[in-house]
Amino acid sequence: MSDKVPFSEILVYLDGSESSMSACMYAILLARSTGSRLHAIYCINTKALGDLVKARIFVSQEKTEYLADLKKDAERHIRHTKKLAESRHVNLVTTVTEGSPSAEVSHYIKAHGIQLLVLGSVNMIRSRREELTSETDRMLRTSPCPVLVTRDDESVWQMFEELD
Amino acid sequence: MTLLDIIDKNLVIVPLTSSRRDDIIADLVNLYADRKGLSDEQRQYVIRAVTDRENMASTAMEKGVAIPHAKIPFLKKSAIVIGISRIPVDFGGKEKSGIFFLVLASEDNPTEHIQILSSIAKLCSSDIFIRMLSSSRTPDEVYQLFFD
C-alpha cells in the first residue's frame, strides 16, 4: 500500500467564528505534518448584504457601514491566521474574497487545485428548513474536493500549543 | 452562530397588543431588557437605537413582517425578540405588519448579524411559514416552528 499522503494543497475556510479558528489550527497541524501547502480564505458575504438591501431590511448607508465592518473583520482574522501559521513555521497563502461564501470557496478549490477543504464544526440538524442552512453546511454539501470537519474542542488547541 | 442558536422562547410575545410603532418597539425591547437585566439607561439606549434606525427607513417588508434592528455596543451576544400581533399595525411600510423580529446585534461580529438577518429574510419569504407564525397562540408554538 502506498504511504503517499493523498493531498498537498489544503484550504481552510475562515468566518471569524471560534470553530473556524479551531479548523485553522487543525489545518496548520495537518499542513506541517504532511508538508502540504496551506491556503486560507475569508469571504465577505456581499450576497447576503445585497439581499438585505433588496428586501429593504438594510438601507444603503447600513450596507456601506457593514461592508466596512466586514472588511475590517476579514483583515483582522487573516492577520491572526498568518501569525498562527508563522508561529508554527507553515507557509500560508491568504485570500479575502467577496460574494456568496459557498460559491466562492467552490470556485477557489477548482481554480487552485485544492485537494482537501478543512471546515469548522457544522451545525446539528435541528430544522428541516433549507433557509436555515449555514454557509459551512452548504460547503460540506457542495465542495468539489474531500472535506475534513474539525470539532471545536480543547484537544485541537492543546495539540497546537504542543507543536514547536 | 445561527438563527437557531439565538432563538429563545422566553423572548417571544404572543400576542402583542400595542398598536403604534414606537410602543411595539418599546414592548419588544422591554421584554429583552427585563430578561437580561439591562439598566434603565441601557434600555433607553436600545429603544433609541432601534427607533433611530426605523426613522431612516421602515424595516416593514412584504407579507406583514418587520425586522427592526440595531447594533448595540454593550451587547456581548446577538439576540432576537419575536412579537406577533393579531391585528396588523402601521409600522411605516407599504403594508401593515403583524410579525416583528427585533434583532439586536453585538458590534463584535458583523458576519453573524448579517447571517441572522439573512436567515430571517429567507424564512419570511415562505407563505406557509408566515401563515403558521401568524396563527401561533403561544411562545412555545412560535419557538417550535423554527425547529420543525
Side-chain angles (χ1 to χ4, degrees):
Chain A
M1 203 169 97
S2 164
D3 57 359
K4 192 171 176 280
V5 178
F7 52 81
S8 57
E9 301 284 340
I10 303 173
L11 174 66
V12 62
Y13 168 67
L14 307 174
D15 63 5
S17 65
E18 278 196 20
S19 68
S20 88
M21 282 327 294
S22 290
C24 173
M25 288 178 183
Y26 200 92
I28 290 169
L29 291 167
L30 209 53
R32 170 86 179 261
S33 60
T34 60
S36 301
R37 182 154 58 163
L38 181 60
H39 305 241
I41 187 167
Y42 191 111
C43 180
I44 297 166
N45 196 345
T46 49
K47 165 81 171 60
L49 266 183
D51 289 347
L52 291 173
V53 173
K54 259 188 235 163
R56 294 207 305 266
I57 297 166
F58 268 7
V59 290
S60 56
Q61 184 187 329
E62 271 178 309
K63 183 187 173 187
T64 309
E65 279 174 21
Y66 267 92
L67 191 56
D69 286 350
L70 291 169
K71 282 182 177 171
K72 267 190 226 153
D73 211 40
E75 280 164 20
R76 190 160 55 89
H77 286 102
I78 287 288
R79 218 169 27 241
H80 182 59
T81 305
K82 274 184 183 162
K83 272 189 195 160
L84 288 178
E86 274 167 20
S87 73
R88 297 302 182 268
H89 317 293
V90 168
N91 286 326
L92 181 70
V93 181
T94 60
T95 303
V96 175
T97 178
E98 294 183 10
S100 159
S102 54
E104 286 299 314
V105 165
S106 192
H107 175 73
Y108 190 92
I109 288 169
K110 288 176 190 160
H112 294 83
I114 300 296
Q115 294 148 326
L116 182 71
L117 170 65
V118 179
L119 297 175
S121 51
V122 291
N123 295 305
M124 282 195 302
I125 299 171
R126 288 176 294 178
S127 173
R128 285 172 296 151
R129 297 187 187 283
E130 178 60 27
E131 299 89 344
L132 295 172
T133 306
S134 75
E135 287 296 335
T136 318
D137 295 345
R138 272 194 198 102
M139 283 170 206
L140 177 63
R141 292 180 196 173
T142 59
S143 169
C145 73
V147 182
L148 188 147
V149 179
T150 63
R151 292 278 169 246
D152 184 23
D153 63 29
E154 200 61 39
S155 66
V156 177
W157 296 68
Q158 202 175 327
M159 277 191 288
F160 190 82
E161 287 303 319
E162 285 167 3
L163 184 73
D164 291 331
Chain B
M1 191 176 280
T2 69
L3 178 61
L4 296 180
D5 294 315
I6 64 166
I7 282 185
D8 179 348
K9 69 174 83 167
N10 294 312
L11 294 176
V12 178
I13 308 178
V14 188
L16 265 173
T17 50
S18 296
S19 56
R20 289 176 52 245
R21 184 198 75 169
D22 290 356
D23 294 338
I24 288 172
I25 291 172
D27 288 348
L28 297 168
V29 173
N30 284 336
L31 176 64
Y32 176 79
D34 291 344
R35 296 282 185 208
K36 303 294 175 185
L38 298 194
S39 66
D40 276 348
E41 196 183 334
Q42 288 175 321
R43 182 189 306 249
Q44 290 309 321
Y45 181 96
V46 177
I47 290 175
R48 209 166 40 244
V50 175
T51 308
D52 286 350
R53 167 59 190 87
E54 281 302 316
N55 287 340
M56 284 166 68
S58 172
T59 59
M61 308 163 48
E62 294 170 344
K63 302 185 203 296
V65 178
I67 312 180
H69 59 269
K71 274 192 284 189
I72 308 295
F74 52 81
L75 281 198
K76 290 273 175 277
K77 278 175 67 180
S78 297
I80 295 180
V81 186
I82 302 172
I84 313 286
S85 173
R86 295 274 163 262
I87 302 159
V89 300
D90 182 1
F91 208 71
K94 283 183 187 160
E95 55 186 88
K96 291 186 173 181
S97 309
I99 298 171
F100 301 90
F101 290 92
L102 171 71
V103 180
L104 302 176
S106 147
E107 278 195 337
D108 293 341
N109 199 334
T111 304
E112 185 182 285
H113 187 199
I114 302 293
Q115 277 170 3
I116 291 165
L117 287 171
S118 175
S119 295
I120 296 171
K122 282 184 206 160
L123 266 181
C124 292
S125 63
S126 158
D127 289 333
I128 297 172
F129 182 77
I130 292 298
R131 218 161 34 235
M132 291 167 82
L133 205 49
S134 306
S135 56
S136 298
R137 299 279 157 201
T138 65
D140 265 342
E141 277 182 29
V142 171
Y143 180 79
Q144 208 49 53
L145 266 181
F146 290 85
F147 292 89
D148 279 349

